[in-house]
Amino acid sequence: EVQLVQSGTEVKKPGESLKISCKGSGYSFTNYWIGWVRQMPGKGLEWMGIIYPDDSDTRYSPSFQGQVTFSADKSISSVYLQWTSLKASDTAMYYCARHPHVGEGWFDVWGQGTLVTVSS
Amino acid sequence: QSVLTQPPSVSGAPGQRVTISCTGSRSNIGAGYDVYWYQQLPGTAPKFLIYGNDNRPSGVPDRFSASKSGTSASLAITGLQPEDEADYYCQSYDRSLTGSVFGGGTKLTVL
C-alpha cells in the first residue's frame, strides 16, 4: 500500500524550534516529489512548496520562503519540515503529499497530517 | 485571498446534481494547466478526486466529473449522497508564482 505517515501532534511555545516528518512507503520514494500543505484552523489549503527526496532539490512558495526549511533523508524514505523560531501564527495542520514532478501536477497520496499548536 | 476562486458553499438534496466552480486567470487555468480536485471529509486529510475531464483515481465513483473552459473549471457531482458532504478544493499550477495554487475551498452541504 502506498502511504505517507507523518509524525504526531506537537505543542510548542513561541520562539521554539520544530522539525516534523513524513515517511513514505509502498513506492519508489526517490521517484516522486513531496509537497507540504498548510491548513490553518477553519481555513483552506495553502501550498508551501515541494522537495525531491533523491537530491533534496526544493521549491518554496514565495509566501513561505525563508520561514520554513524542507529537508530529506532518502535512506529512510523521509522528508522533513522545519522551523527555527515558531510563531503563534504557525498554528495549523500540516500535510505532506506525493507529487509526480516539479511544476504542474496533482497530489495523489496524502499523509494524515501533523497538528502543530504554538501557544505561550 | 486565494489565487483560485471558489464559492464558499453549495448545497443540494440527495439525488440532485451540484456543481462547484473554480475561477483562475491567464497565468494558471487560462494558461492551459490542468485543474485537480480534492475532497476533504470532516477531520480527515484531503483526498485526490479527479482531474481533466474524467480522470479519476481508482475507487472514485463516476458520479464525480470535471470540466474546464477558458480561465475556469468545474466539478460536478450527480446523484448526491449524504457521504458527499465535505469541503472541495481545486488546485492548479501558476506560471507567475511558479508553483501550485489552491482554491479557497467550497463546503458542500447535503440537505
Side-chain angles (χ1 to χ4, degrees):
Chain A
E1 179 192 5
V2 176
Q3 60 179 350
L4 296 172
V5 178
Q6 298 184 230
S7 49
T9 297
E10 300 278 0
V11 179
K12 292 289 191 178
K13 290 181 168 43
E16 291 186 332
S17 63
L18 176 64
K19 191 174 188 178
I20 63 174
S21 67
C22 169
K23 183 176 176 64
S25 62
Y27 72 100
S28 180
F29 190 69
T30 53
N31 282 358
Y32 291 82
W33 293 72
I34 296 290
W36 286 99
V37 177
R38 182 175 79 174
Q39 187 168 36
M40 299 179 76
K43 302 298 184 183
L45 306 175
E46 299 175 85
W47 181 76
M48 301 176 69
I50 53 176
I51 182 168
Y52 193 58
D54 192 43
D55 61 5
S56 294
D57 186 8
T58 57
R59 312 293 166 91
Y60 293 97
S61 160
S63 299
F64 292 91
Q65 179 83 48
Q67 308 304 308
V68 296
T69 303
F70 305 152
S71 59
D73 185 342
K74 63 182 179 180
S75 69
I76 55 171
S77 300
S78 294
V79 297
Y80 305 93
L81 169 59
Q82 183 174 7
W83 295 261
T84 56
S85 181
L86 286 161
K87 303 183 283 288
S89 57
D90 293 317
T91 294
M93 182 72 82
Y94 293 88
Y95 294 102
C96 62
R98 193 176 75 164
H99 191 61
H101 45 68
V102 69
E104 181 180 24
W106 55 82
F107 295 94
D108 64 343
V109 179
W110 292 67
Q112 82 278 19
T114 296
L115 180 61
V116 174
T117 301
V118 183
S119 175
S120 55
Chain B
Q1 71 237 34
S2 304
V3 173
L4 304 179
T5 301
Q6 299 180 234
S9 64
V10 298
S11 64
Q16 284 189 332
R17 177 181 187 270
V18 296
T19 60
I20 298 172
S21 62
C22 175
T23 302
S25 68
R26 287 181 293 180
S27 67
N28 41 69
I29 300 174
Y33 294 110
D34 270 331
V35 178
Y36 311 97
W37 291 90
Y38 302 86
Q39 177 193 59
Q40 186 175 32
L41 296 169
T44 69
K47 170 189 170 185
F48 181 38
L49 199 61
I50 191 169
Y51 75 99
N53 285 335
D54 282 312
N55 298 290
R56 289 178 295 273
S58 173
V60 175
D62 59 7
R63 301 186 297 104
F64 294 89
S65 63
S67 63
K68 187 181 80 163
S69 177
T71 58
S72 295
S74 290
L75 172 71
I77 310 171
T78 58
L80 261 186
Q81 298 183 3
E83 57 264 35
D84 297 333
E85 189 159 286
D87 294 324
Y88 291 85
Y89 294 91
C90 60
Q91 175 241 324
S92 187
Y93 180 82
D94 191 286
R95 64 184 178 191
S96 297
L97 298 173
T98 59
S100 293
V101 287
F102 284 98
T106 298
K107 182 175 181 58
L108 168 63
T109 301
V110 181
L111 301 169

